Amino acid sequence: QKMDDPLNHSPWKLWKLWDDAVSDKTFYLGTVGNGGQPHLTCVYLVKWVEDEGEFWFDCDENVNRNAVQDMEQNYKVGGCFRFPELDRQLRITGYAQKAATLTESRTCEEGSDVECDKTAKVINNKEIQGKRLNYKIIINSIEFFDEENQRTKYSRSVDLSLKQQTQPWLVQYICA
C-alpha cells in the first residue's frame, strides 16, 4: 500500500471491506477479573460507529456474567474477530462502557453460527428470552491480519474523561 492510499488514514475503510464480506458478527471478548484472572466469551457485534471509533456489542446478563462483572471492575478489554472465509482476523483493544440495557427476545435461525454465540440459550428457531446488555468499546488499537499474515495496526490515544479520541490514528505495517 502507498502512504497516500485512503486506507492508510483510518481503519474504518478497511474494516468496512472486511465486514461487508462476512455474515457472522460474533467476536471473542477478553476481560480481566479480580486477581488478574482472564475470561474469554463470545458476544454479538451490534454496530460500529466510525466517527466515534466504537464497536457496540450485545451480551446476556446471565450467560456472560463473568465478562459483565469484569467490565464493572476493569474497563480494559480486548477482542478478536475471525473471518475464516477470508482467512483473516482482526484484534482490538480499548475501553468498555455500558451503553444501554434492553430486555428483548430474538429468534436464532437454523444453520446460523449461533453455537459460537454464547448469548444464545437455544438453537433451531427457538426463542431466546433474557436481559440483554449493550456495551461499547472505545477503541485505542485495531490490528488487521491478512491471509499472508501481514499486519496493519492502527493505534491512538483516548481521553476517557471526554470519552473520545484525542489524536489521529497512527499506522504501522508489520510483515510476517
Side-chain angles (χ1 to χ4, degrees):
Q1 293 178 331
K2 297 178 183 174
M3 288 309 291
D4 59 352
D5 185 332
L7 295 178
N8 291 338
H9 303 293
S10 169
W12 303 114
K13 290 181 177 149
L14 188 53
W15 163 256
K16 177 98 171 99
L17 289 173
W18 287 21
D19 184 54
D20 286 348
V22 296
S23 59
D24 183 14
K25 302 299 183 204
T26 56
F27 70 98
Y28 297 95
L29 176 71
T31 59
V32 178
N34 283 339
Q37 181 64 40
H39 293 112
L40 187 65
T41 192
C42 200
V43 295
Y44 184 78
L45 177 68
V46 175
K47 67 180 178 177
W48 55 277
V49 183
E50 179 177 344
D51 294 342
E52 303 297 324
E54 299 170 348
F55 281 124
W56 287 53
F57 63 94
D58 173 63
C59 61
D60 181 285
E61 176 178 57
N62 296 316
V63 175
N64 302 112
R65 186 176 307 129
N66 286 339
V68 170
Q69 289 172 351
D70 290 352
M71 288 184 292
E72 288 174 2
Q73 298 165 9
N74 182 354
Y75 54 83
K76 294 179 182 178
V77 296
C80 184
F81 292 82
R82 185 169 174 269
F83 305 103
E85 56 270 46
L86 301 176
D87 196 24
R88 297 176 180 173
Q89 75 171 352
L90 170 85
R91 284 194 310 212
I92 60 173
T93 61
Y95 308 99
Q97 290 184 341
K98 196 171 189 178
T101 302
L102 303 172
T103 302
E104 64 179 41
S105 64
R106 68 177 184 179
T107 301
C108 296
E109 297 176 17
E110 189 170 353
S112 68
D113 198 16
V114 167
E115 59 272 11
C116 171
D117 183 359
K118 300 301 183 198
T119 64
K121 294 180 182 161
V122 291
I123 304 175
N124 298 331
N125 294 321
K126 305 245 169 123
E127 198 171 273
I128 302 170
Q129 297 277 347
K131 188 173 185 183
R132 314 303 295 175
L133 302 175
N134 285 327
Y135 284 84
K136 63 183 177 180
I137 301 173
I138 301 171
I139 298 172
N140 67 352
S141 78
I142 183 167
E143 192 168 3
F144 297 86
F145 291 78
D146 69 18
E147 62 277 2
E148 297 173 357
N149 210 22
Q150 304 293 317
R151 296 178 2 213
T152 304
K153 182 176 182 177
Y154 297 83
S155 55
R156 66 178 181 175
S157 295
V158 174
D159 184 333
L160 290 177
S161 65
L162 299 174
K163 297 179 177 67
Q164 65 185 20
Q165 68 184 22
T166 57
Q167 297 176 356
W169 293 101
L170 171 68
V171 184
Q172 298 173 291
Y173 299 100
I174 306 162
C175 298

